[in-house]
Amino acid sequence: MEKTEQFIKENIEKAKQGNQIAFSTLLDTFWNDVYGFQLMRTKNENDAEDITIRTFSRAFDKLDTYDDTYEFKTWLITISKNLHVDLIRKRKRSLLDEMDSKGDEVKKVLDETPSVEDQLIIEQNLANLLRDIKKLKPHYQRVINLRYFNEFSYADIAKELNEPVNNIKVKLLRAKKLLAEIIKKK
């Protein structure tokens, strides 16, 4: 048991210094704990997986704030629980907003086909998005392209890049965060 705790502490320190192998080791070590916790809470595999991915992303972003007087697993579960609460609040808010807008929906009749101007705007937005994607590091560009342009599943991307599926999910989440930051800076 002592060796395991020491092993985890060493990997946390390495991860704090940016060591990707240490990140992967921590992810592999605690993935099932966090996912199982969320699966019991959400009773939904997709939500549990999404929250688990976001938990590890948030934990790795905030790793320097981790207090080693607490167990790392406890810290991860706390992050996970908070993300779940945020998700519930967000869904309640969007449900209320949707209910408010239903009254106006009957009055609106929209033509779904884009006009020539709309099509031009869509093409310009795609060109801008591709230019922004090229600003990412190559390994982030690759997962974005495989997932969203080639429409690969997580498993297919993992096979293509010869990496665990969990790493692909976290990499994709990081890539989307970085891409959002690039777009916001414009």
Side-chain angles (χ1 to χ4, degrees), residues 2-19:
E2 183 62 40
K3 184 178 179 186
T4 305
E5 288 176 24
Q6 186 61 34
F7 177 74
I8 291 168
K9 284 181 181 180
E10 288 171 3
N11 277 291
I12 291 168
E13 287 307 312
K14 289 178 186 174
K16 282 182 177 181
Q17 297 167 9
N19 183 315

Side-chain angles (χ1 to χ4, degrees), residues 2 4 6 8 24 26 35 42 44 50 57 59 78-79 85-86 94 96 113 118 120 130 135 139 164 168 180:
E2 183 62 40
T4 305
Q6 186 61 34
I8 291 168
S24 296
L26 291 170
Y35 178 76
T42 63
N44 178 311
D50 183 48
S57 177
T78 302
I79 293 170
V85 170
D86 291 347
S94 69
L96 290 173
T113 58
D118 291 338
L120 184 62
L130 290 171
K135 294 176 184 174
H139 60 277
I168 297 301

Side-chain angles (χ1 to χ4, degrees), residues 2-186:
E2 183 62 40
K3 184 178 179 186
T4 305
E5 288 176 24
Q6 186 61 34
F7 177 74
I8 291 168
K9 284 181 181 180
E10 288 171 3
N11 277 291
I12 291 168
E13 287 307 312
K14 289 178 186 174
K16 282 182 177 181
Q17 297 167 9
N19 183 315
Q20 289 296 318
I21 295 170
F23 280 122
S24 296
T25 302
L26 291 170
L27 183 107
D28 292 341
T29 303
F30 294 103
W31 176 271
N32 289 338
D33 295 321
V34 176
Y35 178 76
F37 173 75
Q38 279 305 327
L39 193 56
M40 286 189 329
R41 284 178 67 99
T42 63
K43 310 250 187 296
N44 178 311
E45 290 180 7
N46 290 331
D47 285 345
E49 186 174 33
D50 183 48
I51 293 169
T52 302
I53 291 168
R54 286 201 255 147
T55 297
F56 281 98
S57 177
R58 172 92 39 96
F60 293 151
D61 287 347
K62 305 286 185 189
L63 197 56
D64 56 320
T65 66
Y66 168 66
D67 179 359
D68 63 2
T69 57
Y70 302 99
E71 281 193 40
F72 190 69
K73 177 180 166 182
T74 305
W75 187 63
L76 288 172
I77 295 293
T78 302
I79 293 170
S80 178
K81 181 181 66 159
N82 291 338
L83 287 170
H84 182 232
V85 170
D86 291 347
L87 178 70
I88 291 169
R89 286 184 186 140
K90 183 178 175 184
R91 285 186 178 164
K92 281 183 182 175
R93 207 174 315 119
S94 69
L95 183 62
L96 290 173
D97 290 345
E98 188 178 318
M99 288 170 59
D100 288 343
S101 68
K102 287 287 184 195
D104 297 338
E105 199 171 288
V106 176
K107 300 172 190 168
K108 295 178 184 174
V109 178
L110 298 174
D111 181 10
E112 292 296 320
T113 58
S115 67
V116 175
E117 293 86 5
D118 291 338
Q119 190 61 37
L120 184 62
I121 290 170
I122 290 168
E123 288 172 10
Q124 286 175 341
N125 286 341
L126 181 60
N128 288 338
L129 179 62
L130 290 171
R131 194 168 41 252
D132 291 338
I133 289 172
K134 288 184 179 175
K135 294 176 184 174
L136 295 171
K137 290 182 179 176
H139 60 277
Y140 289 138
Q141 288 180 30
R142 186 127 165 91
V143 292
I144 292 269
N145 284 324
L146 290 172
R147 180 70 176 161
Y148 297 106
F149 294 101
N150 296 335
E151 298 181 356
F152 277 34
S153 67
Y154 291 125
D156 291 339
I157 297 170
K159 196 180 297 178
E160 177 80 17
L161 300 179
N162 196 24
E163 290 187 35
V165 173
N166 293 339
N167 287 11
I168 297 301
K169 291 175 182 177
V170 171
K171 221 180 243 188
L172 196 56
L173 187 66
R174 284 185 186 165
K176 290 191 293 187
K177 277 185 175 181
L178 291 170
L179 187 58
E181 288 175 16
I182 290 169
I183 292 169
K184 281 181 191 173
K185 286 181 183 175
K186 286 185 171 183

